[in-house]
């Protein structure tokens, strides 16, 4: 992830870090290169514009910190703007009377079912929670079977469901069952479509209202670049999303989605999916990602 962006940015930043002082000229030239690098990384245009403008204002207006060379000061500004555009880390909010409910939403193939299993494993291993998973995808029996297999792999309780049931009934029954069994967290997988459509949004909206989850996480494929941010926006307009899981970050050489999602949707990325296995989930920390981007 970010390989090209890192190469491009470090090239431009190296040039300015050799300068004796920051001038309007060398700042403008560097920012032109930063802008190109971000656009090539498929960062959404409004994000690129805001980013470049913020860096410009801070770089031009600032009194250069004495401990840093002007070039280093510039890099520090870029680093803190990268962090700002991705936003501070926001952990899962699972407090309240158990079971806490997490609902997954997203297009088909985004990685929802895989992410349910990853999250179940994370919650069990890192947070020492007991976890139940349930599929409210009543369109694809294969999706229910896939979740059952994955639940077995990560040793989470699996609540059975079938395609002749109503998604709301499935989710409510699962939550009731989890409550009786003192299970801490229920993760509800939902149906996805190939693209955003009204029927899907209605159904998932109804399900969301009925279950009122602690967390509604939007799962999106990082490889879809700035489309990821736009799809996230469509879902966040229709559903009270609390965060995003950005999947397939391992295959995304550009990184545009990671930089765009927060700005476009106002919702934090909470996790990165970094592989197909159930342990390939990283908690998202913007400061670490910013450092990774800067190489
Ligand atoms: P769903 O339709 O949204 O439930 O998507 P799935 O969970 O079935 O995932 C679709 C495909 O993406 C599967 O082949 C997964 O193995 C793969 N996948 C999911 N997350 C990741 C990830 O973070 N990295 C990679 N490389 N593949 C992933």
């Amino acid at each position: 992830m970010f390989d090209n962006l890192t190469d491009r940015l470090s090239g431009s930043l190296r040039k300015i870090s050799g300068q004796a002082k920051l001038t309007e000229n060398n700042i403008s030239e560097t920012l032109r290169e930063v802008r190109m690098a971000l656009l090539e990384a498929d960062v959404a245009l409004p994000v690129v514009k805001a980013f470049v403008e913020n860096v410009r204002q801070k770089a031009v207006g600032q009194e250069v910190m004495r401990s840093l060379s002007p070039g280093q000061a510039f890099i520090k500004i870029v680093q803190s703007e990268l962090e700002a555009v991705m936003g501070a880390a926001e952990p899962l909010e699972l407090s309240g009377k158990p079971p806490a409910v997490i609902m997954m939403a997203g297009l088909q193939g985004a990685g929802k079912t895989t992410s349910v299993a990853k999250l179940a494993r994370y919650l069990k291993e890192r947070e020492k929670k007991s976890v139940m998973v349930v599929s409210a995808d009543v369109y694809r029996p294969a999706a229910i079977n896939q979740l059952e297999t994955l639940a077995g792999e990560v040793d989470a309780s699996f609540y059975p469901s079938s395609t002749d049931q109503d998604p709301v009934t499935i989710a409510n029954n699962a939550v009731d069952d989890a409550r009786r069994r003192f299970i801490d967290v229920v993760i509800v997988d939902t149906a996805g479509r190939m693209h955003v459509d009204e029927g899907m949004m209605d159904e998932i909206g109804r399900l969301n209202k009925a279950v009122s989850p602690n967390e509604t996480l939007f799962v999106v494929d990082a490889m879809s670049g700035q489309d990821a941010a736009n799809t996230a926006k469509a879902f966040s307009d229709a559903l009270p999303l609390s965060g995003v899981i950005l999947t397939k970050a391992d295959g995304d050489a550009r990184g545009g989605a990671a930089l765009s999602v927060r700005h476009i949707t106002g919702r934090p990325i909470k996790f990165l999916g970094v592989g197909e296995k159930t342990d390939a989930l990283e908690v998202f920390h913007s400061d670490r990602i910013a450092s990774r981007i800067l190489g």
Side-chain angles (χ1 to χ4, degrees), residues 58-242:
K58 287 180 184 156
V60 171
Q62 77 151 356
E63 212 176 294
V64 175
M65 288 159 267
R66 286 188 198 288
S67 57
L68 297 173
S69 75
Q72 283 171 323
F74 187 85
I75 292 169
K76 209 160 185 296
I77 294 168
V78 171
Q79 161 112 21
S80 72
E81 270 319 300
L82 283 171
E83 287 179 34
V85 81
M86 290 183 281
E90 287 186 33
L92 289 176
E93 173 50 57
L94 301 177
S95 58
K97 213 165 133 228
V101 179
I102 301 175
M103 191 174 126
M104 302 296 213
L107 297 180
Q108 190 171 318
K112 281 184 303 301
T113 308
T114 313
S115 298
V116 170
K118 289 176 177 179
L119 203 51
R121 179 167 175 173
Y122 167 85
L123 289 167
K124 282 182 58 112
E125 288 179 1
R126 304 282 191 80
E127 314 251 325
K128 308 293 172 214
K129 306 268 193 204
S130 52
V131 181
M132 173 190 277
V133 301
V134 58
S135 174
D137 184 347
V138 294
Y139 304 101
R140 292 188 310 141
I144 302 177
N145 296 337
Q146 184 195 357
L147 185 63
E148 182 167 19
T149 307
L150 286 168
E153 260 176 52
V154 300
D155 199 20
S157 303
F158 172 75
Y159 188 84
S161 52
S162 63
T163 50
D164 56 0
Q165 291 175 293
D166 175 59
V168 171
T169 312
I170 294 172
N172 281 336
N173 288 350
V175 172
D176 287 345
D177 188 54
R179 187 174 298 117
R180 275 194 296 274
R181 292 165 55 193
F182 302 104
I183 285 175
D184 300 316
V185 185
V186 179
I187 310 178
V188 183
D189 198 5
T190 63
R193 306 283 159 80
M194 295 315 285
H195 53 83
V196 177
D197 70 51
E198 235 177 80
M200 172 195 191
M201 288 304 185
D202 282 354
E203 180 187 295
I204 203 163
R206 200 163 59 86
L207 183 57
N208 194 274
K209 278 207 188 80
V211 181
S212 73
N214 299 61
E215 290 274 354
T216 303
L217 299 177
F218 177 65
V219 180
V220 66
D221 177 346
M223 309 259 274
S224 58
Q226 55 176 309
D227 270 354
N230 296 332
T231 320
K233 174 99 178 74
F235 273 82
S236 74
D237 289 345
L239 281 175
L241 294 186
S242 56

Side-chain angles (χ1 to χ4, degrees), residues 44 46-48 50-51 54 85-86 259-267:
V47 183
V48 176
F51 184 90
N54 287 344
V85 81
M86 290 183 281
L259 287 170
S260 307
V261 162
R262 179 69 179 252
H263 186 95
I264 303 287
T265 67
R267 301 290 184 272

